[in-house]
Amino acid sequence: MTRESDTNPSSVALALGGGGARGLAHIGVLRALEERGIAVEAIAGCSMGGIIGALIGSDQTSADIADIVRGTHFHDLLDFGARGGLVGGKGIGRVLAEHVREDFEALGVPLKVTTVDVQRGSLVILGTGPLVPALQATSALPGILSPVEHMDRVLIDGGILNNLPIDVVRTMSLAPIVAVDVAAPHDRRLDFDRDHGFVEAIKRISRREFRTLTVELFMKSFDIPQRLITDTRLAMDPPEMLVRPELDVEFGVEDMHRLEEAIELGYHATNDALDRWIAEDGSRPEWVDDAGEED
C-alpha cells in the first residue's frame, strides 16, 4: 500500500505505546496535536496507549481525559485475591465503562489494541466487539494484573510482543504515523539493598505499597526484552515521527499522581518533534496545519 502525502493532509495516525502511568504523557501528545489543528485518523495502542486511544475515539479531548484521571482514585480500583495476578482489574473496568463507548464499532476514531494469548503464546489484535474487556486485556501486566478471559482466550498485556504497534496502525490508515514510546527504561538500576524477601513484599503489596523489590525485579524482566523487540520493530518499520517524552527513570508505571508532569512532558516532546521534523525537511510538511504558528 502506497502512502500518499495528499491523503487527509491535516491528519495523523497514532501508535500509542504502553507504560502504565508513564502513558499519561499521551494526553500531552493529544493536546499538542489539538493545538496545531491536526486530527487523529486512526489509533493502535497497547496497555495505557490503548486506553487513551479508546478515550480519544469516544470523543474525549485531552482536557476531558486529564479530568477523568484527576477524578479517579486508582488504588481504590484494585481488587485483591484475583486469579493469576496480585491484583484484579474489575474496578478499572467499571471506571472505563463510564467513559468509553460500548464497542469498537461505536468509536469515532478506529482503534485496535494489542494483547497476547497466554495459552497459545501468540499476539492477538483486537479491533471489534466489546471495548472494555479488550482494554482490560491489553493492560493486564502478567503476574501483576489478572489475565482477562475474552473471546474464548486468556489474554494479557500486548506489550510482551508489540508494545508500540506501528505495524498495526499502518494497516488502518494512509496518514503519517506518529509513534509515542513511553516504555520504562530497560537499564534503570534496582536497589537490592532494600530487599526484605518475598513474604514482606506480599505484605507491602497488601498495604498498597507497590514499589517492592520483588515487583520491580519482575517488571524489569518484562522491560528488557520489550525494549529489544520494540527497537527491532522500529528499525524494520520506522514511523514518520517518533516521540519519546523525557520521563525520568524513577517515573514508575504506578505513579498516577504524576499526571501533570507526564502531560507537560508529552506536550513538549511532541511540539519539539514536530518542529525538528519541519526544520530537517527544510519545509513545512503538507499534513501540518497552520494552526499554532506565530505571526
Side-chain angles (χ1 to χ4, degrees), residues 278-290:
I278 294 169
E280 289 171 2
D281 285 353
S283 61
R284 184 179 183 81
E286 291 182 18
W287 57 270
V288 177
D289 191 87
D290 289 335

Side-chain angles (χ1 to χ4, degrees), residues 114-115 126 132-141 148 150 155-158:
T114 60
T115 67
L126 299 177
V132 170
L135 299 179
Q136 290 174 293
T138 189
S139 56
L141 185 66
V148 176
H150 180 55
L155 301 174
I156 57 176
D157 195 319

Side-chain angles (χ1 to χ4, degrees), residues 3 6 8 17 30 45 59 62 90 115 126 136 146 149 154 161 185 208 223 228 252 265:
R3 189 169 304 277
D6 59 351
N8 281 332
L30 178 61
D59 293 333
S62 60
K90 293 181 180 178
T115 67
L126 299 177
Q136 290 174 293
S146 299
E149 295 184 21
V154 180
L161 295 178
R208 292 185 163 91
D223 296 336
L228 176 63
L265 290 171

